[in-house]
Amino acid sequence: QVQLVESGGGLVEAGGSLRLSCAASGRTFSRSIMGWFRQAPGREREFVAAITWNGGGLYYAGSVKGRFTISRDNAKNTVYLQMNTLKPEDTAVYYCAAARGTKWTMDTNEYDYWGQGIQVTVSS
């Protein structure tokens, strides 16, 4: 059974930092594009960041560029999202996902596997 499990979320004050982890099990994703998405109440799920299989390609939404960093450790089958200088508008449920193909994409329909999501709340 393939599982993606996020951890590291929680409540933080504006300006603070959190590091999300996404541990995969059931199969290796070492050749997969991995992405992070988020969904705030009443809004559609949106792309946050993606990383190619070897970490050579990093892609970010404009709203998080310069503040968030995506990385991966293929030996641990784990993807990370370091979030710095957090803002109240970053409050959302964050999801990690594994893409179907080998080209990066921000289209949620191109991601086959999803974690259950983890809450990140940034207080002002």
Side-chain angles (χ1 to χ4, degrees):
Q1 181 182 0
V2 177
Q3 279 191 313
L4 299 177
V5 180
E6 300 96 340
S7 61
L11 173 64
V12 65
E13 291 184 351
S17 298
L18 283 174
R19 187 194 194 204
L20 303 183
S21 299
C22 172
S25 62
R27 56 159 282 187
T28 180
F29 289 99
S30 61
R31 292 289 177 174
S32 299
I33 299 288
M34 299 296 293
W36 285 96
F37 294 78
R38 67 186 182 187
Q39 188 167 18
R43 302 188 65 176
E44 292 188 354
R45 192 169 300 188
E46 65 175 5
F47 170 79
V48 174
I51 185 169
T52 55
W53 73 273
N54 62 353
L58 307 175
Y59 307 92
Y60 298 97
S63 59
V64 307
K65 197 168 186 178
R67 300 187 298 122
F68 290 12
T69 303
I70 188 171
S71 61
R72 66 191 297 165
D73 184 338
N74 287 336
K76 295 181 178 179
N77 225 15
T78 300
V79 181
Y80 306 96
L81 185 68
Q82 177 68 44
M83 306 185 294
N84 298 329
T85 320
L86 282 160
K87 304 175 181 180
E89 51 263 44
D90 294 319
T91 295
V93 176
Y94 283 70
Y95 300 87
C96 73
R100 181 179 312 122
T102 57
K103 292 184 179 181
W104 91 274
T105 174
M106 63 173 65
D107 184 350
T108 57
N109 293 316
E110 296 297 321
Y111 287 79
D112 279 345
Y113 299 99
W114 291 84
Q116 81 287 353
I118 192 162
Q119 179 69 45
V120 171
T121 303
V122 184
S123 63
S124 57

